mmCIF file of all heavy atoms in Angstrom:
data_model
loop_
_atom_site.group_PDB
_atom_site.id
_atom_site.type_symbol
_atom_site.label_atom_id
_atom_site.label_comp_id
_atom_site.label_asym_id
_atom_site.label_seq_id
_atom_site.Cartn_x
_atom_site.Cartn_y
_atom_site.Cartn_z
ATOM 1 N N ASP A 1 0.812 -1.214 0.000
ATOM 2 C CA ASP A 1 0.000 0.000 0.000
ATOM 3 C C ASP A 1 0.851 1.272 0.000
ATOM 4 O O ASP A 1 0.326 2.373 -0.155
ATOM 5 C CB ASP A 1 -0.923 0.025 1.224
ATOM 6 C CG ASP A 1 -2.005 -1.047 1.151
ATOM 7 O OD1 ASP A 1 -2.391 -1.390 0.020
ATOM 8 O OD2 ASP A 1 -2.438 -1.535 2.207
ATOM 9 N N THR A 2 2.159 1.111 0.188
ATOM 10 C CA THR A 2 3.020 2.285 0.305
ATOM 11 C C THR A 2 3.961 2.459 -0.875
ATOM 12 O O THR A 2 4.766 3.389 -0.879
ATOM 13 C CB THR A 2 3.858 2.198 1.598
ATOM 14 O OG1 THR A 2 4.712 1.047 1.522
ATOM 15 C CG2 THR A 2 2.959 2.091 2.823
ATOM 16 N N ILE A 3 3.869 1.587 -1.852
ATOM 17 C CA ILE A 3 4.757 1.680 -3.009
ATOM 18 C C ILE A 3 3.945 1.504 -4.288
ATOM 19 O O ILE A 3 3.008 0.705 -4.338
ATOM 20 C CB ILE A 3 5.882 0.616 -2.928
ATOM 21 C CG1 ILE A 3 6.909 0.832 -4.048
ATOM 22 C CG2 ILE A 3 5.307 -0.788 -2.955
ATOM 23 C CD1 ILE A 3 8.147 -0.049 -3.901
ATOM 24 N N GLU A 4 4.286 2.268 -5.289
ATOM 25 C CA GLU A 4 3.574 2.185 -6.563
ATOM 26 C C GLU A 4 4.315 1.246 -7.499
ATOM 27 O O GLU A 4 5.515 1.378 -7.707
ATOM 28 C CB GLU A 4 3.463 3.573 -7.203
ATOM 29 C CG GLU A 4 2.668 3.568 -8.511
ATOM 30 C CD GLU A 4 2.478 4.963 -9.075
ATOM 31 O OE1 GLU A 4 2.856 5.940 -8.384
ATOM 32 O OE2 GLU A 4 1.960 5.078 -10.201
ATOM 33 N N CYS A 5 3.571 0.305 -8.062
ATOM 34 C CA CYS A 5 4.173 -0.656 -8.979
ATOM 35 C C CYS A 5 4.069 -0.127 -10.407
ATOM 36 O O CYS A 5 2.982 0.277 -10.840
ATOM 37 C CB CYS A 5 3.490 -2.015 -8.866
ATOM 38 S SG CYS A 5 4.174 -3.268 -9.979
ATOM 39 N N PRO A 6 5.162 -0.141 -11.165
ATOM 40 C CA PRO A 6 5.129 0.405 -12.527
ATOM 41 C C PRO A 6 4.558 -0.557 -13.560
ATOM 42 O O PRO A 6 4.461 -0.203 -14.729
ATOM 43 C CB PRO A 6 6.609 0.690 -12.812
ATOM 44 C CG PRO A 6 7.339 -0.341 -12.003
ATOM 45 C CD PRO A 6 6.523 -0.535 -10.747
ATOM 46 N N LEU A 7 4.176 -1.764 -13.141
ATOM 47 C CA LEU A 7 3.679 -2.765 -14.090
ATOM 48 C C LEU A 7 2.248 -3.145 -13.731
ATOM 49 O O LEU A 7 1.972 -3.603 -12.623
ATOM 50 C CB LEU A 7 4.575 -4.015 -14.054
ATOM 51 C CG LEU A 7 4.218 -5.133 -15.039
ATOM 52 C CD1 LEU A 7 4.399 -4.670 -16.476
ATOM 53 C CD2 LEU A 7 5.060 -6.374 -14.766
ATOM 54 N N TRP A 8 1.334 -2.949 -14.657
ATOM 55 C CA TRP A 8 -0.072 -3.291 -14.458
ATOM 56 C C TRP A 8 -0.731 -3.361 -15.831
ATOM 57 O O TRP A 8 -0.136 -2.998 -16.850
ATOM 58 C CB TRP A 8 -0.773 -2.232 -13.596
ATOM 59 C CG TRP A 8 -0.567 -0.832 -14.099
ATOM 60 C CD1 TRP A 8 0.483 -0.008 -13.820
ATOM 61 C CD2 TRP A 8 -1.417 -0.094 -15.000
ATOM 62 N NE1 TRP A 8 0.347 1.196 -14.485
ATOM 63 C CE2 TRP A 8 -0.812 1.165 -15.220
ATOM 64 C CE3 TRP A 8 -2.627 -0.371 -15.623
ATOM 65 C CZ2 TRP A 8 -1.374 2.132 -16.037
ATOM 66 C CZ3 TRP A 8 -3.200 0.597 -16.441
ATOM 67 C CH2 TRP A 8 -2.574 1.829 -16.639
ATOM 68 N N ALA A 9 -1.965 -3.840 -15.867
ATOM 69 C CA ALA A 9 -2.661 -3.948 -17.162
ATOM 70 C C ALA A 9 -4.162 -3.938 -16.951
ATOM 71 O O ALA A 9 -4.664 -4.382 -15.914
ATOM 72 C CB ALA A 9 -2.243 -5.221 -17.893
ATOM 73 N N ARG A 10 -4.849 -3.421 -17.937
ATOM 74 C CA ARG A 10 -6.304 -3.539 -18.053
ATOM 75 C C ARG A 10 -6.597 -4.259 -19.365
ATOM 76 O O ARG A 10 -5.796 -4.204 -20.307
ATOM 77 C CB ARG A 10 -6.964 -2.153 -18.055
ATOM 78 C CG ARG A 10 -6.827 -1.381 -16.767
ATOM 79 C CD ARG A 10 -7.720 -0.130 -16.795
ATOM 80 N NE ARG A 10 -7.400 0.728 -17.931
ATOM 81 C CZ ARG A 10 -6.571 1.750 -17.888
ATOM 82 N NH1 ARG A 10 -5.934 2.033 -16.759
ATOM 83 N NH2 ARG A 10 -6.348 2.492 -18.948
ATOM 84 N N PRO A 11 -7.752 -4.905 -19.469
ATOM 85 C CA PRO A 11 -8.042 -5.671 -20.688
ATOM 86 C C PRO A 11 -7.911 -4.865 -21.968
ATOM 87 O O PRO A 11 -7.345 -5.346 -22.959
ATOM 88 C CB PRO A 11 -9.481 -6.156 -20.470
ATOM 89 C CG PRO A 11 -9.619 -6.254 -18.989
ATOM 90 C CD PRO A 11 -8.810 -5.110 -18.448
ATOM 91 N N HIS A 12 -8.402 -3.623 -21.985
ATOM 92 C CA HIS A 12 -8.435 -2.874 -23.234
ATOM 93 C C HIS A 12 -7.046 -2.398 -23.656
ATOM 94 O O HIS A 12 -6.844 -2.006 -24.809
ATOM 95 C CB HIS A 12 -9.388 -1.689 -23.129
ATOM 96 C CG HIS A 12 -10.062 -1.347 -24.428
ATOM 97 N ND1 HIS A 12 -10.915 -2.217 -25.068
ATOM 98 C CD2 HIS A 12 -9.993 -0.248 -25.222
ATOM 99 C CE1 HIS A 12 -11.356 -1.667 -26.192
ATOM 100 N NE2 HIS A 12 -10.799 -0.472 -26.320
ATOM 101 N N MET A 13 -6.084 -2.423 -22.738
ATOM 102 C CA MET A 13 -4.718 -2.058 -23.110
ATOM 103 C C MET A 13 -4.156 -3.034 -24.132
ATOM 104 O O MET A 13 -3.285 -2.668 -24.933
ATOM 105 C CB MET A 13 -3.826 -2.016 -21.870
ATOM 106 C CG MET A 13 -4.091 -0.804 -20.980
ATOM 107 S SD MET A 13 -3.277 -0.924 -19.357
ATOM 108 C CE MET A 13 -1.556 -0.894 -19.849
ATOM 109 N N ALA A 14 -4.635 -4.280 -24.111
ATOM 110 C CA ALA A 14 -4.184 -5.256 -25.103
ATOM 111 C C ALA A 14 -4.613 -4.824 -26.503
ATOM 112 O O ALA A 14 -3.848 -4.949 -27.469
ATOM 113 C CB ALA A 14 -4.747 -6.640 -24.774
ATOM 114 N N ARG A 15 -5.820 -4.302 -26.624
ATOM 115 C CA ARG A 15 -6.312 -3.829 -27.930
ATOM 116 C C ARG A 15 -5.535 -2.603 -28.387
ATOM 117 O O ARG A 15 -5.173 -2.479 -29.559
ATOM 118 C CB ARG A 15 -7.808 -3.534 -27.843
ATOM 119 C CG ARG A 15 -8.454 -3.047 -29.148
ATOM 120 C CD ARG A 15 -9.970 -3.050 -28.981
ATOM 121 N NE ARG A 15 -10.667 -2.369 -30.060
ATOM 122 C CZ ARG A 15 -10.992 -2.925 -31.226
ATOM 123 N NH1 ARG A 15 -10.645 -4.174 -31.463
ATOM 124 N NH2 ARG A 15 -11.654 -2.254 -32.145
ATOM 125 N N HIS A 16 -5.267 -1.689 -27.467
ATOM 126 C CA HIS A 16 -4.474 -0.509 -27.813
ATOM 127 C C HIS A 16 -3.079 -0.921 -28.283
ATOM 128 O O HIS A 16 -2.543 -0.360 -29.253
ATOM 129 C CB HIS A 16 -4.349 0.416 -26.600
ATOM 130 C CG HIS A 16 -5.641 1.082 -26.226
ATOM 131 N ND1 HIS A 16 -5.878 1.571 -24.971
ATOM 132 C CD2 HIS A 16 -6.767 1.327 -26.942
ATOM 133 C CE1 HIS A 16 -7.086 2.100 -24.924
ATOM 134 N NE2 HIS A 16 -7.647 1.957 -26.110
ATOM 135 N N SER A 17 -2.492 -1.897 -27.583
ATOM 136 C CA SER A 17 -1.154 -2.348 -27.943
ATOM 137 C C SER A 17 -1.151 -3.032 -29.305
ATOM 138 O O SER A 17 -0.217 -2.875 -30.096
ATOM 139 C CB SER A 17 -0.624 -3.307 -26.875
ATOM 140 O OG SER A 17 -0.606 -2.687 -25.603
ATOM 141 N N PHE A 18 -2.200 -3.788 -29.586
ATOM 142 C CA PHE A 18 -2.351 -4.419 -30.899
ATOM 143 C C PHE A 18 -2.385 -3.361 -31.990
ATOM 144 O O PHE A 18 -1.740 -3.493 -33.043
ATOM 145 C CB PHE A 18 -3.635 -5.255 -30.902
ATOM 146 C CG PHE A 18 -4.009 -5.838 -32.232
ATOM 147 C CD1 PHE A 18 -3.540 -7.088 -32.615
ATOM 148 C CD2 PHE A 18 -4.853 -5.154 -33.100
ATOM 149 C CE1 PHE A 18 -3.897 -7.632 -33.840
ATOM 150 C CE2 PHE A 18 -5.216 -5.685 -34.322
ATOM 151 C CZ PHE A 18 -4.733 -6.940 -34.699
ATOM 152 N N ALA A 19 -3.150 -2.301 -31.755
ATOM 153 C CA ALA A 19 -3.264 -1.229 -32.746
ATOM 154 C C ALA A 19 -1.919 -0.553 -32.976
ATOM 155 O O ALA A 19 -1.535 -0.273 -34.119
ATOM 156 C CB ALA A 19 -4.308 -0.209 -32.285
ATOM 157 N N LEU A 20 -1.186 -0.281 -31.894
ATOM 158 C CA LEU A 20 0.110 0.372 -32.026
ATOM 159 C C LEU A 20 1.090 -0.507 -32.798
ATOM 160 O O LEU A 20 1.825 -0.028 -33.671
ATOM 161 C CB LEU A 20 0.668 0.695 -30.647
ATOM 162 C CG LEU A 20 2.068 1.299 -30.600
ATOM 163 C CD1 LEU A 20 2.119 2.601 -31.375
ATOM 164 C CD2 LEU A 20 2.510 1.522 -29.162
ATOM 165 N N LYS A 21 1.112 -1.789 -32.488
ATOM 166 C CA LYS A 21 2.030 -2.708 -33.166
ATOM 167 C C LYS A 21 1.767 -2.724 -34.666
ATOM 168 O O LYS A 21 2.692 -2.579 -35.481
ATOM 169 C CB LYS A 21 1.866 -4.118 -32.597
ATOM 170 C CG LYS A 21 2.736 -5.160 -33.290
ATOM 171 C CD LYS A 21 2.429 -6.563 -32.782
ATOM 172 C CE LYS A 21 1.072 -7.038 -33.258
ATOM 173 N NZ LYS A 21 0.781 -8.418 -32.815
ATOM 174 N N TRP A 22 0.514 -2.869 -35.048
ATOM 175 C CA TRP A 22 0.206 -2.985 -36.472
ATOM 176 C C TRP A 22 0.293 -1.648 -37.195
ATOM 177 O O TRP A 22 0.582 -1.603 -38.388
ATOM 178 C CB TRP A 22 -1.151 -3.648 -36.663
ATOM 179 C CG TRP A 22 -1.033 -5.129 -36.443
ATOM 180 C CD1 TRP A 22 -1.427 -5.848 -35.364
ATOM 181 C CD2 TRP A 22 -0.419 -6.064 -37.342
ATOM 182 N NE1 TRP A 22 -1.107 -7.173 -35.520
ATOM 183 C CE2 TRP A 22 -0.488 -7.335 -36.724
ATOM 184 C CE3 TRP A 22 0.188 -5.958 -38.589
ATOM 185 C CZ2 TRP A 22 0.023 -8.482 -37.326
ATOM 186 C CZ3 TRP A 22 0.693 -7.093 -39.179
ATOM 187 C CH2 TRP A 22 0.607 -8.344 -38.560
ATOM 188 N N PHE A 23 0.055 -0.547 -36.490
ATOM 189 C CA PHE A 23 0.294 0.756 -37.108
ATOM 190 C C PHE A 23 1.775 0.897 -37.447
ATOM 191 O O PHE A 23 2.145 1.390 -38.515
ATOM 192 C CB PHE A 23 -0.142 1.876 -36.172
ATOM 193 C CG PHE A 23 0.083 3.256 -36.738
ATOM 194 C CD1 PHE A 23 -0.843 3.821 -37.599
ATOM 195 C CD2 PHE A 23 1.216 3.971 -36.429
ATOM 196 C CE1 PHE A 23 -0.633 5.085 -38.140
ATOM 197 C CE2 PHE A 23 1.438 5.238 -36.959
ATOM 198 C CZ PHE A 23 0.502 5.788 -37.812
ATOM 199 N N SER A 24 2.628 0.444 -36.524
ATOM 200 C CA SER A 24 4.070 0.506 -36.758
ATOM 201 C C SER A 24 4.464 -0.336 -37.964
ATOM 202 O O SER A 24 5.207 0.108 -38.848
ATOM 203 C CB SER A 24 4.808 0.012 -35.507
ATOM 204 O OG SER A 24 4.436 0.748 -34.374
ATOM 205 N N ILE A 25 3.964 -1.569 -38.000
ATOM 206 C CA ILE A 25 4.314 -2.474 -39.089
ATOM 207 C C ILE A 25 3.749 -1.992 -40.417
ATOM 208 O O ILE A 25 4.450 -1.963 -41.442
ATOM 209 C CB ILE A 25 3.816 -3.900 -38.777
ATOM 210 C CG1 ILE A 25 4.578 -4.466 -37.576
ATOM 211 C CG2 ILE A 25 3.974 -4.813 -39.983
ATOM 212 C CD1 ILE A 25 4.058 -5.806 -37.092
ATOM 213 N N LEU A 26 2.481 -1.598 -40.421
ATOM 214 C CA LEU A 26 1.852 -1.149 -41.667
ATOM 215 C C LEU A 26 2.521 0.115 -42.204
ATOM 216 O O LEU A 26 2.595 0.319 -43.420
ATOM 217 C CB LEU A 26 0.358 -0.897 -41.440
ATOM 218 C CG LEU A 26 -0.499 -2.153 -41.202
ATOM 219 C CD1 LEU A 26 -1.904 -1.755 -40.758
ATOM 220 C CD2 LEU A 26 -0.566 -3.009 -42.468
ATOM 221 N N SER A 27 3.001 0.967 -41.302
ATOM 222 C CA SER A 27 3.684 2.179 -41.748
ATOM 223 C C SER A 27 4.964 1.827 -42.489
ATOM 224 O O SER A 27 5.308 2.461 -43.495
ATOM 225 C CB SER A 27 4.007 3.073 -40.540
ATOM 226 O OG SER A 27 2.821 3.533 -39.933
ATOM 227 N N VAL A 28 5.681 0.813 -41.991
ATOM 228 C CA VAL A 28 6.888 0.369 -42.678
ATOM 229 C C VAL A 28 6.531 -0.183 -44.052
ATOM 230 O O VAL A 28 7.150 0.156 -45.069
ATOM 231 C CB VAL A 28 7.624 -0.704 -41.843
ATOM 232 C CG1 VAL A 28 8.780 -1.290 -42.639
ATOM 233 C CG2 VAL A 28 8.123 -0.104 -40.543
ATOM 234 N N VAL A 29 5.510 -1.044 -44.094
ATOM 235 C CA VAL A 29 5.095 -1.649 -45.367
ATOM 236 C C VAL A 29 4.665 -0.577 -46.356
ATOM 237 O O VAL A 29 5.068 -0.576 -47.531
ATOM 238 C CB VAL A 29 3.942 -2.646 -45.139
ATOM 239 C CG1 VAL A 29 3.418 -3.176 -46.461
ATOM 240 C CG2 VAL A 29 4.408 -3.798 -44.257
ATOM 241 N N TRP A 30 3.864 0.382 -45.888
ATOM 242 C CA TRP A 30 3.340 1.419 -46.777
ATOM 243 C C TRP A 30 4.463 2.301 -47.323
ATOM 244 O O TRP A 30 4.487 2.641 -48.512
ATOM 245 C CB TRP A 30 2.321 2.265 -46.027
ATOM 246 C CG TRP A 30 1.644 3.304 -46.874
ATOM 247 C CD1 TRP A 30 1.876 4.643 -46.889
ATOM 248 C CD2 TRP A 30 0.636 3.067 -47.857
ATOM 249 N NE1 TRP A 30 1.081 5.263 -47.800
ATOM 250 C CE2 TRP A 30 0.298 4.326 -48.416
ATOM 251 C CE3 TRP A 30 -0.020 1.945 -48.318
ATOM 252 C CZ2 TRP A 30 -0.662 4.474 -49.397
ATOM 253 C CZ3 TRP A 30 -0.979 2.089 -49.308
ATOM 254 C CH2 TRP A 30 -1.291 3.341 -49.841
ATOM 255 N N SER A 31 5.391 2.662 -46.435
ATOM 256 C CA SER A 31 6.472 3.533 -46.884
ATOM 257 C C SER A 31 7.330 2.834 -47.931
ATOM 258 O O SER A 31 7.824 3.471 -48.871
ATOM 259 C CB SER A 31 7.335 3.963 -45.693
ATOM 260 O OG SER A 31 7.975 2.850 -45.096
ATOM 261 N N ARG A 32 7.528 1.526 -47.808
ATOM 262 C CA ARG A 32 8.307 0.786 -48.792
ATOM 263 C C ARG A 32 7.564 0.668 -50.112
ATOM 264 O O ARG A 32 8.149 0.724 -51.190
ATOM 265 C CB ARG A 32 8.623 -0.612 -48.253
ATOM 266 C CG ARG A 32 9.547 -0.621 -47.042
ATOM 267 C CD ARG A 32 10.902 -0.047 -47.380
ATOM 268 N NE ARG A 32 11.791 -0.046 -46.230
ATOM 269 C CZ ARG A 32 13.019 0.437 -46.251
ATOM 270 N NH1 ARG A 32 13.507 0.956 -47.360
ATOM 271 N NH2 ARG A 32 13.762 0.409 -45.162
ATOM 272 N N GLN A 33 6.242 0.492 -50.023
ATOM 273 C CA GLN A 33 5.457 0.339 -51.247
ATOM 274 C C GLN A 33 5.427 1.616 -52.083
ATOM 275 O O GLN A 33 5.294 1.562 -53.301
ATOM 276 C CB GLN A 33 4.014 -0.067 -50.893
ATOM 277 C CG GLN A 33 3.881 -1.501 -50.392
ATOM 278 C CD GLN A 33 2.461 -1.818 -49.976
ATOM 279 O OE1 GLN A 33 1.706 -0.925 -49.579
ATOM 280 N NE2 GLN A 33 2.088 -3.075 -50.069
ATOM 281 N N LEU A 34 5.564 2.757 -51.423
ATOM 282 C CA LEU A 34 5.416 4.032 -52.124
ATOM 283 C C LEU A 34 6.734 4.639 -52.576
ATOM 284 O O LEU A 34 6.745 5.743 -53.125
ATOM 285 C CB LEU A 34 4.678 5.033 -51.226
ATOM 286 C CG LEU A 34 3.247 4.669 -50.830
ATOM 287 C CD1 LEU A 34 2.613 5.806 -50.049
ATOM 288 C CD2 LEU A 34 2.404 4.346 -52.067
ATOM 289 N N GLU A 35 7.828 3.929 -52.339
ATOM 290 C CA GLU A 35 9.115 4.463 -52.765
ATOM 291 C C GLU A 35 9.149 4.633 -54.288
ATOM 292 O O GLU A 35 8.799 3.735 -55.044
ATOM 293 C CB GLU A 35 10.245 3.523 -52.325
ATOM 294 C CG GLU A 35 10.559 3.615 -50.834
ATOM 295 C CD GLU A 35 11.736 2.740 -50.453
ATOM 296 O OE1 GLU A 35 12.225 1.998 -51.337
ATOM 297 O OE2 GLU A 35 12.161 2.785 -49.286
ATOM 298 N N GLY A 36 9.564 5.814 -54.747
ATOM 299 C CA GLY A 36 9.661 6.070 -56.179
ATOM 300 C C GLY A 36 8.401 6.651 -56.801
ATOM 301 O O GLY A 36 8.425 7.061 -57.965
ATOM 302 N N PHE A 37 7.282 6.690 -56.061
ATOM 303 C CA PHE A 37 6.050 7.258 -56.603
ATOM 304 C C PHE A 37 6.019 8.767 -56.377
ATOM 305 O O PHE A 37 6.541 9.282 -55.381
ATOM 306 C CB PHE A 37 4.821 6.630 -55.929
ATOM 307 C CG PHE A 37 4.512 5.228 -56.376
ATOM 308 C CD1 PHE A 37 5.136 4.135 -55.789
ATOM 309 C CD2 PHE A 37 3.610 4.996 -57.397
ATOM 310 C CE1 PHE A 37 4.862 2.847 -56.191
ATOM 311 C CE2 PHE A 37 3.321 3.715 -57.808
ATOM 312 C CZ PHE A 37 3.946 2.631 -57.213
ATOM 313 N N THR A 38 5.368 9.460 -57.299
ATOM 314 C CA THR A 38 5.171 10.895 -57.129
ATOM 315 C C THR A 38 4.036 11.116 -56.137
ATOM 316 O O THR A 38 3.286 10.201 -55.804
ATOM 317 C CB THR A 38 4.808 11.553 -58.463
ATOM 318 O OG1 THR A 38 3.528 11.044 -58.898
ATOM 319 C CG2 THR A 38 5.859 11.250 -59.524
ATOM 320 N N ASP A 39 3.901 12.359 -55.678
ATOM 321 C CA ASP A 39 2.819 12.681 -54.738
ATOM 322 C C ASP A 39 1.455 12.398 -55.363
ATOM 323 O O ASP A 39 0.545 11.917 -54.683
ATOM 324 C CB ASP A 39 2.906 14.155 -54.324
ATOM 325 C CG ASP A 39 4.111 14.419 -53.440
ATOM 326 O OD1 ASP A 39 4.647 13.438 -52.882
ATOM 327 O OD2 ASP A 39 4.510 15.602 -53.314
ATOM 328 N N ARG A 40 1.312 12.707 -56.654
ATOM 329 C CA ARG A 40 0.038 12.458 -57.341
ATOM 330 C C ARG A 40 -0.259 10.957 -57.382
ATOM 331 O O ARG A 40 -1.387 10.524 -57.129
ATOM 332 C CB ARG A 40 0.109 13.030 -58.762
ATOM 333 C CG ARG A 40 -1.090 12.723 -59.648
ATOM 334 C CD ARG A 40 -2.355 13.429 -59.158
ATOM 335 N NE ARG A 40 -3.466 13.215 -60.057
ATOM 336 C CZ ARG A 40 -3.727 13.984 -61.106
ATOM 337 N NH1 ARG A 40 -2.921 15.014 -61.400
ATOM 338 N NH2 ARG A 40 -4.770 13.761 -61.868
ATOM 339 N N GLU A 41 0.756 10.161 -57.676
ATOM 340 C CA GLU A 41 0.568 8.717 -57.741
ATOM 341 C C GLU A 41 0.250 8.138 -56.351
ATOM 342 O O GLU A 41 -0.547 7.206 -56.222
ATOM 343 C CB GLU A 41 1.822 8.060 -58.310
ATOM 344 C CG GLU A 41 2.024 8.334 -59.795
ATOM 345 C CD GLU A 41 3.395 7.893 -60.279
ATOM 346 O OE1 GLU A 41 4.334 7.831 -59.458
ATOM 347 O OE2 GLU A 41 3.520 7.618 -61.479
ATOM 348 N N LYS A 42 0.864 8.694 -55.337
ATOM 349 C CA LYS A 42 0.578 8.231 -53.980
ATOM 350 C C LYS A 42 -0.875 8.509 -53.607
ATOM 351 O O LYS A 42 -1.544 7.673 -52.991
ATOM 352 C CB LYS A 42 1.514 8.922 -52.983
ATOM 353 C CG LYS A 42 2.961 8.473 -53.081
ATOM 354 C CD LYS A 42 3.836 9.251 -52.101
ATOM 355 C CE LYS A 42 5.294 8.832 -52.215
ATOM 356 N NZ LYS A 42 6.176 9.597 -51.290
#
């Protein structure tokens, strides 16, 4: 009761973490797919 623990979780944090992970991955994929395209083509 006198110390704060830095590790904890709620159920919906898993969904938020899933979204962050795939946003990161999809951003890499998207940036690679658009290499060499003009702004209009993008």
Side-chain angles (χ1 to χ4, degrees):
D1 292 331
T2 63
I3 187 171
E4 183 176 353
C5 180
L7 183 65
W8 52 274
R10 294 190 303 266
H12 212 63
M13 287 168 65
R15 181 169 169 84
H16 291 158
S17 302
F18 173 89
L20 176 59
K21 177 186 71 178
W22 283 104
F23 180 83
S24 304
I25 294 174
L26 290 170
S27 295
V28 173
V29 175
W30 184 256
S31 64
R32 294 297 180 182
Q33 288 176 333
L34 297 185
E35 285 184 355
F37 285 85
T38 65
D39 290 342
R40 174 67 176 272
E41 289 169 335
K42 290 177 181 179

